[in-house]
Amino acid sequence: MPRVRRYIMIKYNPKIWFGHIFLFHKSETLRILFPEIIIMALYTAGLTYLELHYFKDVSVFKNTISVHSLVGLVLGLLLVFRTNSAYDRWWEGRKHWGALVNNTRNLATKIKTLVPAQQTEVYAFFQKMIPNYAFAMKEHLRDNKQLQELEDVDGLLATLEQTEHVPNHIALKMYQKAKELQANGTITNEEFLMLDKELKSFSDIVGACERIKNTPIPFSYSLFMKKFIFLYIITLPIGFIPTFGYWSIPISVFIFYVLVSLEVIAEEIEDPFGTDANDLPTQGLSEKIKANVKEILEA
């Protein structure tokens, strides 16, 4: 069986902030942007050399700083909106996964309460299928299909090989089982509606997560932001050089790092269902659902 790769969200104590200053992680933007930082440093060094050695009066470039100050205010507001909108998507995704955890517990509890204890095969069915839905949804949102994480129930895995939307197929099987329980008199019509409420919520949750994943920030806005940041950064050293000379290199690099890092972080968290370090811990939540459902139905 192929090995399932695990992705763990970063867990930390936000109150110990001083130690985090010297902490470097694989998701740290300094690592991601290091090649671009080197290019920016070389560009600024070349521009500084040309301006100091080939222009007789560099003081004429000082006035560009006032222009950058005004433009920088607009850029800051745009970046605030960009990061806030990305975080809103991340937090909304977390709320939907939290709802999935709660609703899987509720469904397992109702199955345990409504179905007679002697029908252990029903318990076994839902004990496997409910976690199957969580694991399938996790991979579906990553555009993957890892059936080795799922438990086979009545030849389920064979049918999933040809299924494009795995969570929908698993939900269908659970609906069919609930309808079967209603038809043979194991549960009443009212009790079937109780189960229907939880099963319906599964489709609502995966649909909401698909909306988050498949509706990124508008392309024109993203394109404008990148061009705006690029033009701002490459023209910024021109006004620094007359005042700071070669010190313009570290200053420009630092400003480049701050501005572009905000955009990189926003791009990472606006799709919270992936495998980046700052994405949602969907693997851990799926495993929690599996443990909780097993505990309820085996009690």
Side-chain angles (χ1 to χ4, degrees), residues 199-233:
L199 290 171
K200 178 180 178 298
S201 71
F202 290 0
S203 296
D204 292 339
I205 290 170
V206 72
C209 291
E210 287 173 339
R211 170 178 54 81
I212 295 172
K213 175 180 174 59
N214 298 326
T215 313
I217 188 171
F219 176 71
S220 58
Y221 184 88
S222 177
L223 193 64
F224 174 76
M225 280 294 301
K226 289 178 172 59
K227 289 181 177 180
F228 195 174
I229 293 174
F230 176 76
L231 291 175
Y232 183 83
I233 290 298

Side-chain angles (χ1 to χ4, degrees), residues 35-186:
E36 288 79 5
I37 289 174
I38 297 300
I39 293 174
M40 183 63 191
L42 294 175
Y43 163 77
T44 307
L47 195 63
T48 303
Y49 179 81
L50 290 175
E51 192 168 326
L52 293 180
H53 294 82
Y54 290 92
F55 286 88
K56 296 181 179 179
D57 184 13
V58 296
S59 61
V60 296
F61 296 112
K62 286 186 177 181
N63 294 330
T64 61
I65 290 297
S66 59
V67 177
H68 281 90
S69 298
L70 296 174
V71 175
L73 178 61
V74 177
L75 180 59
L77 294 175
L78 290 174
L79 285 173
V80 168
F81 172 77
R82 177 75 172 96
T83 52
N84 283 346
S85 62
Y87 180 77
D88 286 342
R89 294 163 60 88
W90 185 94
W91 181 240
E92 185 182 359
R94 181 61 183 89
K95 289 192 292 185
H96 287 306
W97 268 89
L100 182 66
V101 172
N102 293 337
N103 293 341
T104 53
R105 292 169 179 167
N106 292 335
L107 178 59
T109 301
K110 291 178 180 180
I111 294 295
K112 183 69 174 181
T113 304
L114 301 177
V115 178
Q118 59 269 25
Q119 297 196 24
T120 56
E121 72 283 356
V122 177
Y123 293 173
F125 176 87
F126 283 99
Q127 182 180 325
K128 294 179 180 179
M129 293 296 283
I130 295 175
N132 279 353
Y133 187 89
F135 283 107
M137 174 176 159
K138 167 182 67 72
E139 291 302 320
H140 173 73
L141 294 174
R142 294 177 179 176
D143 296 323
N144 294 329
K145 184 191 289 187
Q146 292 191 9
L147 301 183
Q148 65 268 30
E149 291 186 286
L150 310 183
E151 295 189 67
D152 197 14
V153 183
D154 301 329
L156 173 69
L157 297 184
T159 61
L160 293 180
E161 291 288 351
Q162 290 77 37
T163 302
E164 182 176 351
H165 200 294
V166 177
N168 275 353
H169 190 79
I170 295 175
L172 173 63
K173 292 296 183 182
M174 288 192 286
Y175 257 114
Q176 290 174 342
K177 175 61 72 171
K179 185 63 178 177
E180 178 185 325
L181 294 174
Q182 180 198 28
N184 62 27
T186 302

Side-chain angles (χ1 to χ4, degrees), residues 225-273:
M225 280 294 301
K226 289 178 172 59
K227 289 181 177 180
F228 195 174
I229 293 174
F230 176 76
L231 291 175
Y232 183 83
I233 290 298
I234 64 172
T235 57
L236 191 62
I238 297 175
F240 284 160
I241 293 170
T243 303
F244 300 106
Y246 282 99
W247 282 104
S248 302
I249 300 173
I251 295 173
S252 299
V253 166
F254 176 74
I255 296 174
F256 168 85
Y257 169 71
V258 171
L259 295 180
V260 179
S261 290
L262 290 174
E263 175 67 13
V264 170
I265 292 171
E267 289 177 349
E268 180 176 330
I269 66 175
E270 70 178 353
D271 179 9
F273 310 115

